[in-house]
Amino acid sequence: MIEIRELTKNYGFKRALDKVDLTLGPGELVGLFGENGAGKTTLMKCILGLLPCSGSITLDSEKITRKNIERLSFATSEHSFFPDLTAAGHRDFYKMHFPRFRDERYRALMEFFSLPAHRLLRQMSTGQKNQFEVILALSQGADYILMDEPFAGNDIFNREDFYKVLVGILEPTETILLSTHLIEEVEPFISRAVVLREGKVASDVASSALDEQGVRLTDFIKSAYGYRADRVGEALYKLTEQEDHDV
């Protein structure tokens, strides 16, 4: 279990995370939602130890260090791998450094995405690079898999099929923390929704609770943000009024 307590992160005078409390248990598929700048990426990078922060983050009651960091993996769209290494070369590198590497899962996902094993990473399209990052994150053998907008550059058909595959291959001990703006697409697959707003946890609810209440995920997130449906009409009215005044 990952336990986050009083997690705070500042960028100069800007507070990106403000005393965040969050727990991630085994076997969950958690959707992490919020507008741009809400703190989603910062939260993930703090969990991974990529950013200094205050508060505490523990994995099964132990601090996350080099001794247990292999239990976490990360998929992002930043393309942080070796551009002059092939996909097969990356697999060999991972197998060398991660004893729990899932080679059969790797091969099955490479076949599913139809990715070329012997092509250099820099020769792949943006969508292919994103797919490959997801494949390595899922194949590393980690218990907690963090995904930050991993489907950028992929068409809707690839994304929909991947969600189904993802749910099908996950084992009871594996947990996914998925940050995405594709709310309606992931709604059928996540087991829990966490909403960040201005660096704080605005809401945290099980998908089953929303189903029982008959509440759509999009509406739930809008409510957590205090979204006003009339704001567009008001803005258009003011803009039109100003244009008429200028004339």
Side-chain angles (χ1 to χ4, degrees), residues 111-144:
E111 182 178 350
F112 172 76
F113 283 116
S114 300
L115 293 185
H118 299 289
R119 182 178 297 175
L120 299 178
L121 261 291
R122 61 179 172 81
Q123 296 174 331
M124 291 187 180
S125 68
T126 298
Q128 288 176 322
K129 291 176 183 177
N130 294 340
Q131 291 167 352
F132 186 66
E133 292 209 25
V134 169
I135 289 173
L136 285 184
L138 288 170
S139 302
Q140 179 183 308
D143 297 316
Y144 293 86

Side-chain angles (χ1 to χ4, degrees), residues 61-80:
S61 301
E62 296 182 355
K63 289 185 177 181
I64 298 174
T65 65
R66 292 182 179 180
K67 294 181 179 180
N68 58 5
I69 190 64
E70 68 179 22
R71 293 184 58 196
L72 281 69
S73 65
F74 189 38
T76 178
S77 56
E78 295 179 354
H79 306 151
S80 54

Side-chain angles (χ1 to χ4, degrees), residues 7-46:
L7 183 63
T8 301
K9 171 62 181 176
N10 295 320
Y11 292 111
F13 294 105
K14 175 178 172 55
R15 177 151 293 187
L17 296 175
D18 190 2
K19 297 181 179 180
V20 169
D21 289 335
L22 188 65
T23 300
L24 302 174
E28 294 187 294
L29 206 168
V30 183
L32 183 63
F33 305 102
E35 62 186 355
N36 293 334
K40 303 185 298 298
T41 298
T42 297
L43 174 61
M44 289 189 173
K45 290 187 175 181
C46 286

Side-chain angles (χ1 to χ4, degrees), residues 78-97:
E78 295 179 354
H79 306 151
S80 54
F81 294 129
F82 307 109
D84 291 315
L85 199 62
T86 64
H90 280 86
R91 181 202 64 189
D92 294 341
F93 178 84
Y94 265 58
K95 289 180 68 174
M96 184 185 305
H97 290 85

